[in-house]
Amino acid sequence: MSAANSSVPADQHGGWMSFLKAIASFSGDLSKLTAPSFILSPVSLTDWGEHPEHFASIQAAATPEQRMVVVLRWFIATLKGQYTSRNTSMGSEKKPLNPVLGELFYGSWPATDKRGETKLIVEQVSHHPPITAYHLENKDAGVSVEGHSGQKTSFTGRSITVVQVGHAILRIKRDEGDEVYLISLPKLSIDGLLLGSPYIELTGSTSITASTGLTATINYSGRGYFSGKAHSFNASITSNKSKESLLDVSGTWSGSSVVKAGSLLPLNSVFWDADAIPREELSVKPIEEQGEYESRRVWRNVAEGIRKGDYGAASKDKSRIENEQRQLRKDEAAAGTKHQLKHFEYVESDSDYASLAPAISGLAPTSASYRFKSAAA
């Protein structure tokens, strides 16, 4: 590991090498492996809501084709915040904290003269395996998205591969009936481990398919060992009936992309520029006003330790939280009780998923889901 290129603190190099040896020899899902505090991010639950203006604007598009364009653009716009924000703010990719069962996150983007308020609710609905459910909604615009994401993580010799298990359902309320969009989730490759400067690349492909008979397919590629450009993608919108390509775009999801072909947008026009439109921070209650299981309150001492570089204090409080959770699960088992979800309910078979999944190659025909049940926060 080159000290010049590494983002690992000098006094933590030994711990980093020990962690690499541990993941190389670990059998099974790496999410079960405890990570040292110096590679942790001071956040746990994440979301898709950093561009509420574009999210709300989905409703205003006049035709199904135009609405699919806006949905695709919004989805691409969410990727930078989800997958490179830790790299940007902390110098390299950091492992998010493992949310505890029942952990909650509430936030909102206040109304402006152009849009109504957008609200976000996130809940950790399972710990083993780790699954996060989320609901994002702008009621004034009649647009919402809900879904869940779990992870299956493995080490491939040079990188960590993360298969995101789950899907999202985006819904647009229309006078003629709701439009529904099924969104599949990308695979992640965490590279740069041997240099001590981890970063995320998206791999494979994902799709967005709509009840209107349109599908957007996104193919990801990135910086390889010898060549390639980081965070590259190309995407197309097609009709499910004719398979005719209505739009082709390409570029980088963390930077800019342009229109390469199709009739829906001008040729060579900018499709999305992540650097030109800053992420809009959400509004969250002060920690002292948050409930016991709200995310920033649960992890405040751990987060403070990580930000200050006091990894001993961070590890100590992280262990306290984990031990309390283990005891709580033991107490529930002894009492014959089960953790009750607050905002979501488990659904064995998701009917929206089942109706749209056949349009996406490789998806299972049916899937369980977590359905949003309450707007109370």
Side-chain angles (χ1 to χ4, degrees):
M1 179 173 66
S2 169
N5 296 323
S6 176
S7 62
V8 178
D11 61 346
Q12 302 292 336
H13 281 189
W16 175 252
M17 296 308 296
S18 296
F19 179 65
L20 291 182
K21 291 177 182 177
I23 63 176
S25 60
F26 189 80
S27 177
D29 187 348
L30 291 179
S31 63
K32 299 177 182 179
L33 188 64
T34 299
S37 292
F38 66 86
I39 67 163
L40 295 175
S41 164
V43 298
S44 56
L45 299 174
T46 59
D47 64 87
W48 289 11
E50 292 151 333
H51 291 283
E53 194 83 32
H54 293 274
F55 182 65
S57 71
I58 293 170
Q59 179 69 264
T63 68
E65 291 79 9
Q66 291 168 347
R67 287 192 288 277
M68 178 60 91
V69 169
V70 183
V71 170
L72 174 61
R73 182 184 287 119
W74 165 78
F75 177 77
I76 297 299
T78 70
L79 298 179
K80 182 176 182 179
Q82 289 187 79
Y83 301 118
T84 70
S85 60
R86 292 180 295 270
N87 201 311
T88 301
S89 63
M90 305 187 73
S92 70
E93 176 58 25
K94 301 292 183 180
K95 181 184 182 298
L97 298 165
N98 288 334
V100 301
L101 180 62
E103 185 174 329
L104 301 164
F105 185 87
Y106 304 119
S108 67
W109 290 264
T112 69
D113 57 353
K114 294 182 179 181
R115 65 159 200 268
E117 182 184 32
T118 302
K119 289 187 175 182
L120 170 70
I121 295 177
V122 186
E123 181 175 359
Q124 190 69 7
V125 293
S126 175
H127 188 64
H128 292 300
I131 300 174
T132 304
Y134 45 88
H135 178 87
L136 182 73
E137 182 174 19
N138 186 312
K139 284 189 175 180
D140 290 344
V143 182
S144 66
V145 64
E146 70 179 42
H148 70 281
S149 175
Q151 296 82 35
K152 291 183 178 179
T153 310
S154 59
F155 184 61
T156 60
R158 288 186 178 274
S159 62
I160 293 174
T161 298
V162 181
V163 176
Q164 296 195 96
V165 180
H167 61 270
I169 297 289
L170 186 145
R171 189 179 304 276
I172 309 172
K173 292 188 177 298
R174 308 283 299 173
D175 291 340
E176 63 272 24
D178 291 358
E179 279 184 11
V180 182
Y181 296 70
L182 170 63
I183 305 172
S184 61
L185 308 180
K187 293 180 181 179
L188 317 179
S189 178
I190 303 175
D191 300 311
L193 299 174
L194 299 182
L195 295 176
S197 294
Y199 63 93
I200 284 180
E201 282 289 7
L202 304 185
T203 65
S205 64
T206 58
S207 295
I208 305 170
T209 190
S211 57
T212 57
L214 299 169
T215 295
T217 302
I218 308 105
N219 299 302
Y220 307 96
S221 60
R223 184 171 67 225
Y225 194 68
F226 296 106
S227 63
K229 188 173 184 180
H231 308 154
S232 296
F233 82 96
N234 62 74
S236 62
I237 294 176
T238 58
S239 165
N240 294 349
K241 290 183 178 180
S242 66
K243 302 302 180 183
E244 173 191 3
S245 181
L246 305 175
L247 182 72
D248 292 303
V249 302
S250 68
T252 60
W253 48 263
S254 61
S256 63
S257 52
V258 298
V259 177
K260 293 296 186 180
S263 58
L264 298 180
L265 293 173
L267 188 65
N268 296 321
S269 62
V270 174
F271 181 71
W272 174 250
D273 188 341
D275 296 322
I277 303 178
R279 295 159 54 204
E280 186 174 336
E281 296 296 329
L282 80 172
S283 176
V284 181
K285 288 180 181 179
I287 288 179
E288 57 271 17
E289 297 179 17
Q290 294 181 13
E292 179 184 4
Y293 276 91
E294 290 192 52
S295 187
R296 294 186 182 182
R297 182 169 175 178
V298 170
W299 297 104
R300 59 181 170 179
N301 293 332
V302 177
E304 182 179 6
I306 292 171
R307 292 190 177 103
K308 290 182 175 179
D310 188 348
Y311 302 116
S315 294
K316 182 178 179 180
D317 204 62
K318 179 173 174 289
S319 295
R320 176 191 64 79
I321 293 168
E322 292 168 345
N323 289 333
E324 287 179 355
Q325 287 297 304
R326 292 188 189 99
Q327 186 60 51
L328 186 58
R329 302 287 84 80
K330 289 179 181 178
D331 292 344
E332 288 173 348
T337 60
K338 185 178 179 181
H339 173 78
Q340 298 297 310
L341 301 182
K342 183 176 179 65
H343 293 292
F344 297 86
E345 59 183 353
Y346 180 77
V347 179
E348 189 70 38
S349 180
D350 185 329
S351 58
D352 288 325
Y353 176 98
S355 67
L356 294 173
I360 301 179
S361 176
L363 281 191
T366 60
S367 175
S369 189
Y370 288 87
R371 182 174 296 157
F372 183 67
K373 66 179 182 179
S374 170

